[in-house]
Amino acid sequence: MWNLRPAARRSTRGIATVLLLIASPALGNDVFPYDRQLMLDVAPMGKVRRTPSITIDSDGSARLELWCRTASAQVTTNGDQIRIVPAPLPESLPQYMRDGQCAPERMDADVTLLNALAQVTTWRKAGGGVTLEGPVAMRFLADDH
């Protein structure tokens, strides 16, 4: 064992603590943020304030809140690899949405977003969010509500 004086021991512990704090974000960077609602980092479309989000449970089941409709999916991760297999879009709108509340462009955006999510191959944490990457990169931010 090292024979350090008390002041040197405190200094060594302080350096070790700083190194651990610096390394911690890098060490936790490969853990996917399961069980959190992740909001797509986009402006609302039109007058309706709803923006897409995803919530992935630790068992891999996911809820995809799209521009108008809600779909389910199965998600697997392995390191920085991710695969999203969405279920078909339901024909009906969620209960709390009324007919006429979703314009045709929002309904089309549901299909486009669902297809983009199905093509995602990797993910990474960056700047307080998660970026899902495939042919299109999509940035999601953790909902703080």
Side-chain angles (χ1 to χ4, degrees):
M1 191 73 195
W2 295 344
N3 189 10
L4 299 174
R5 291 174 283 154
R9 268 187 253 136
R10 279 193 302 272
S11 177
T12 303
R13 270 187 256 146
I15 291 170
T17 301
V18 168
L19 289 174
L20 183 60
L21 289 174
I22 291 171
S24 291
L27 292 173
N29 205 24
D30 62 348
V31 177
F32 192 86
Y34 291 104
D35 302 314
R36 304 233 14 222
Q37 184 177 24
L38 302 171
M39 307 294 294
L40 185 61
D41 188 16
V42 293
M45 184 187 297
K47 294 180 182 180
V48 180
R49 296 188 55 178
R50 176 176 165 135
T51 56
S53 70
I54 60 174
T55 304
I56 303 171
D57 296 332
S58 55
D59 68 359
S61 61
R63 180 178 177 92
L64 309 173
E65 300 278 346
L66 306 170
W67 290 103
C68 289
R69 294 172 279 183
T70 300
S72 60
Q74 203 54 44
V75 179
T76 54
T77 60
N78 184 9
D80 68 345
Q81 304 295 305
I82 186 168
R83 182 167 184 230
I84 301 173
V85 180
L89 274 176
E91 292 297 321
S92 62
L93 295 174
Q95 309 182 282
Y96 57 86
M97 294 190 110
R98 288 174 272 134
D99 286 337
Q101 202 169 2
C102 273
E105 57 269 5
R106 289 176 67 88
M107 299 289 275
D108 291 342
D110 278 357
V111 173
T112 301
L113 181 55
L114 197 65
N115 288 336
L117 288 168
Q119 295 179 55
V120 165
T121 58
T122 59
W123 71 276
R124 63 181 163 82
K125 284 185 184 177
V130 173
T131 299
L132 301 179
E133 298 173 336
V136 175
M138 296 169 280
R139 184 166 188 242
F140 290 82
L141 301 173
D143 187 16
D144 57 1
H145 292 96

